[in-house]
Amino acid sequence: MVLYDSTRGGNEGIASAEAIKKGISPNGGLYVPRDFEKLTIDEIVTLKDMTYQERAVTVLKRFLDDFTIDELKDCVSKAYNNKKFTSPDIVPVKRLNDSLSILELWHGPTCAFKDMALQILPHFLVKAMEKTGEQSEIVILVATSGDTGKAALEGFADVEGTKIIVFFPHEGVSEVQKYQMITQAGGNVKVVAVKGNFDDTQTGVKRIFTDSQLIEKINRKNLKFSSANSINWGRLVPQIVYYFSAYADLLKANSIKPGDKINFVVPTGNFGNILAGFYAKKMGLPVNKLICASNDNNVLTDFIRTGIYDRRRQFVKTISPSMDILISSNLERLLYELSDHDSQKVSDWMKQLNEQGYYKVDTELIEKIQETFWADWSDQEETLKTIECIYKDYNYVSDTHTAVGVDVYDKYVITTGDLTSTVTLSTASPFKFNQSVCKALFNDDETDNKNEFELLELLSRKTGWPVPEGLKDLDKKEILHTEVCEKENMKALVENILL
Ligand SMILES: *Cc1c(COP(=O)(O)O)cnc(C)c1O
């Protein structure tokens, strides 16, 4: 059986159901698989003729081997079906030119890639509760920079045996994102705006998760905290699937031959999405480089180039807000994997980050990281310019996050001359960040004085792309959540809701 340990030590050796239920280890570390089976090239070739659902089961069973195949099939079919996803391929690959394709991860109900994980996580959790004989109700706490919140709400609303509380930074999300959340229906949902940025919000939630007194209090009420943030292994593992799926689709299109290595470009903030690519590689997927694309909050670019992670810098609010992050939680898992599971070192670095705001890893480790990862960033001018170029050159409408990826890809090719087949992960529908997309594509006199909801219509009319179902008529829905809280009061508010 695959055993899961905390990145901060203790050799817990728990099964995946237990790791998913707990979300984070009691010692503050993240769960990672001690070891897992690889897929051979022949097995990867067989993915070619499978549906996305079949590909998902094939990959997931290597990690969640305490779940039966029927349980996995059940979770997969509840999550990835044509009621929830508007594309029959679930994650279609669109070819832009000979070397560059786009993997569209936003055909789910909230129009962003977080649906890929959050449509299936609630089903994993419910099964995990059954399997571990859990009687108490699960309370999901989420800190969101915009997309996670809505995706988690869509995933958990009215799922029996769960409650969900979502915190979002008061002025850190787009109007569309805000309306998606504050209009969320469901008997078990609560949505709260926090006066602070995403890091404040995430830090607040982490504090609540590790507050032993509060945990004891809610346990007495037969409630248990769990996380839907990308620190939960159940969030990360479904993301490994689409790396294999993209590879299988390139094989199917004869763009590559079995065993050919490809690059992936990943617009990332929390290091979750790109880490899933790392696990795909470790699992046997032929990957040349994983290209880490950041916006002005380029803490990861600096880290991958120098080995110094330093969050002591100005936080920039950008047009790709879902990547406005200075603490990339999932990086901890990579450090653990590439330092040969040295939990002592990982704990020390995380302690230093927490107390002093930076850490520096050993030369040997950063060289290992650079064997697989390459990093650069795109400023906001460049991002807008890229949206314009992609539209002109390929008639393809890209959102701001995806454009960060494509711009960094251009920089990669210019710097390295590497023309290996490359897939850029597209993490949001352009309609979700329509203000910036319209600004990039149209003249001021066409967009002036239009709100985000009018811009949705404009973008659709001018490009011929339909407004996605999940974003239609949002401003006409009833507002159900109006609470705003100080960042210091998040814990009190949770107590208030639950006790
Ligand atoms: C969350 C998000 C990202 C960043 O994902 P990570 O898990 O932080 O790597 C990128 N783009 C969009 C649209 C997102 O919602």
Side-chain angles (χ1 to χ4, degrees):
M1 192 169 79
V2 180
L3 301 178
Y4 288 79
D5 292 324
S6 162
T7 49
R8 305 211 188 156
N11 292 322
E12 289 176 53
I14 57 177
S16 80
E18 190 72 29
I20 289 171
K21 192 181 83 186
K22 285 187 167 156
I24 189 168
S25 161
N27 68 18
L30 312 188
Y31 287 116
V32 283
R34 193 177 291 177
D35 205 1
F36 53 87
E37 233 183 282
K38 286 189 169 196
L39 287 176
T40 64
I41 292 297
D42 289 345
E43 284 170 314
I44 292 171
V45 171
T46 65
L47 297 175
K48 208 170 58 157
D49 300 314
M50 292 186 192
T51 62
Y52 188 78
Q53 293 79 357
E54 292 165 339
R55 291 171 183 174
V57 172
T58 307
V59 172
L60 291 172
K61 72 181 183 195
R62 311 282 163 138
F63 291 102
L64 312 185
D65 61 347
D66 51 330
F67 287 64
T68 66
I69 296 293
D70 282 342
E71 286 172 330
L72 289 178
K73 279 187 179 163
D74 187 46
C75 292
V76 163
S77 66
K78 281 177 174 153
Y80 308 123
N81 59 60
N82 58 20
K83 282 199 207 76
K84 306 269 187 154
F85 283 77
T86 55
S87 165
D89 298 335
I90 307 295
V91 290
V93 174
K94 302 278 167 74
R95 185 187 163 100
L96 291 193
N97 61 37
D98 281 351
S99 54
L100 183 61
S101 300
I102 303 277
L103 174 63
E104 293 181 347
L105 301 174
W106 41 261
H107 292 277
T110 75
C111 309
F113 97 98
K114 295 198 172 58
D115 288 330
M116 295 311 301
L118 284 165
Q119 280 299 313
I120 199 164
L121 179 68
H123 305 296
F124 284 162
L125 258 179
V126 168
K127 289 258 171 5
M129 285 156 76
E130 282 170 23
K131 298 175 82 63
T132 55
E134 185 62 60
Q135 303 294 323
S136 47
E137 231 185 322
I138 293 272
V139 179
I140 301 291
L141 296 182
V142 180
T144 182
S145 56
D147 290 337
T148 309
K150 177 60 179 179
L153 289 164
E154 276 290 332
F156 282 95
D158 292 327
V159 171
E160 220 168 295
T162 70
K163 287 188 192 332
I164 174 164
I165 307 173
V166 170
F167 293 96
F168 70 91
H170 194 36
E171 273 152 15
V173 302
S174 78
E175 279 298 288
V176 165
Q177 288 176 322
K178 190 169 104 184
Y179 269 80
Q180 281 188 308
M181 289 190 276
I182 63 178
T183 59
Q184 176 71 46
N188 61 342
V189 308
K190 201 90 181 148
V191 178
V192 183
V194 177
K195 290 189 185 163
N197 64 32
F198 173 68
D199 284 334
D200 298 328
T201 311
Q202 175 156 270
T203 303
V205 165
K206 273 199 174 172
R207 283 221 182 94
I208 296 171
F209 273 129
T210 47
D211 185 320
S212 50
Q213 269 185 331
L214 178 59
I215 290 171
E216 218 173 280
K217 271 197 226 167
I218 72 150
N219 286 355
R220 269 185 253 127
K221 281 236 158 185
N222 220 18
L223 298 170
K224 262 211 167 104
F225 284 135
S226 191
S227 153
N229 274 47
S230 58
I231 50 179
N232 191 315
W233 180 253
R235 260 292 291 281
L236 202 90
V237 71
Q239 301 186 347
I240 300 171
V241 176
Y242 49 71
Y243 285 88
F244 282 94
S245 181
Y247 191 88
D249 282 345
L250 291 187
L251 279 176
K252 200 170 174 174
N254 286 321
S255 302
I256 54 170
K257 291 191 294 300
D260 282 355
K261 287 188 175 182
I262 67 171
N263 299 322
F264 287 97
V265 184
V266 190
T268 190
N270 220 356
F271 209 73
N273 204 0
I274 195 166
L275 184 75
F278 172 78
Y279 279 111
K281 179 175 186 198
K282 210 170 142 69
M283 206 180 169
L285 189 70
V287 173
N288 177 42
K289 280 281 194 266
L290 292 168
I291 299 165
C292 176
S294 300
N295 63 21
D296 300 73
N297 297 293
N298 53 4
V299 64
L300 283 168
T301 313
D302 290 346
F303 173 70
I304 289 168
R305 288 177 181 176
T306 65
I308 300 168
Y309 193 98
D310 193 344
R311 62 157 305 197
R312 298 168 302 174
R313 61 180 74 203
Q314 190 65 39
F315 177 84
V316 187
K317 266 173 75 168
T318 74
I319 55 174
S320 45
S322 301
M323 293 155 64
D324 290 347
I325 289 169
L326 290 180
I327 303 175
S328 307
S329 308
N330 264 303
L331 188 59
E332 180 168 346
R333 285 189 165 112
L334 182 75
L335 301 181
Y336 181 81
E337 291 293 352
L338 288 182
S339 67
D340 295 324
H341 297 189
D342 191 336
S343 56
Q344 187 54 52
K345 273 192 178 155
V346 172
S347 305
D348 290 346
W349 290 324
M350 293 306 126
K351 185 158 176 270
Q352 202 189 347
L353 179 64
N354 196 23
E355 289 169 2
Q356 296 166 47
Y358 78 101
Y359 60 87
K360 181 179 193 309
V361 302
D362 317 338
T363 311
E364 193 193 331
L365 175 54
I366 195 61
E367 282 172 2
K368 241 192 208 171
I369 291 173
Q370 289 165 351
E371 282 170 22
T372 299
F373 293 87
W374 192 91
D376 208 333
W377 62 288
S378 177
D379 72 26
Q380 300 185 67
E381 281 302 309
E382 292 172 320
T383 304
L384 290 173
K385 192 88 201 138
T386 305
I387 293 174
E388 193 188 347
C389 289
I390 305 174
Y391 189 58
K392 274 202 183 123
D393 294 348
Y394 307 109
N395 202 27
Y396 186 86
V397 191
S398 148
D399 101 292
T400 47
H401 304 77
T402 309
V404 166
V406 174
D407 187 39
V408 166
Y409 172 67
D410 287 342
K411 292 175 180 175
Y412 172 77
V413 172
I414 290 166
T415 310
T416 64
D418 177 20
L419 288 175
T420 301
S421 232
T422 298
V423 174
T424 294
L425 276 58
S426 174
T427 51
S429 155
F431 288 94
K432 196 145 191 193
F433 299 93
N434 55 69
Q435 231 171 358
S436 305
V437 175
C438 285
K439 187 174 165 199
L441 296 183
F442 312 129
N443 296 328
D444 289 350
D445 58 331
E446 290 172 291
T447 55
D448 274 354
N449 304 319
K450 288 202 167 61
N451 66 33
E452 278 188 41
F453 303 105
E454 292 162 339
L455 291 173
L456 275 176
E457 297 304 324
L458 178 77
L459 185 59
S460 174
R461 205 168 57 242
K462 304 258 300 183
T463 61
W465 285 34
V467 178
E469 210 47 55
L471 299 176
K472 264 188 209 154
D473 299 328
L474 259 185
D475 52 334
K476 298 182 185 75
K477 287 193 177 161
E478 189 188 352
I479 293 172
L480 300 169
H481 307 274
T482 52
E483 195 141 17
V484 181
C485 104
E486 301 290 338
K487 61 185 181 197
E488 296 79 16
N489 294 343
M490 290 168 63
K491 178 182 158 188
L493 194 132
V494 168
E495 284 187 315
N496 228 337
I497 294 169
L498 298 178
L499 302 176

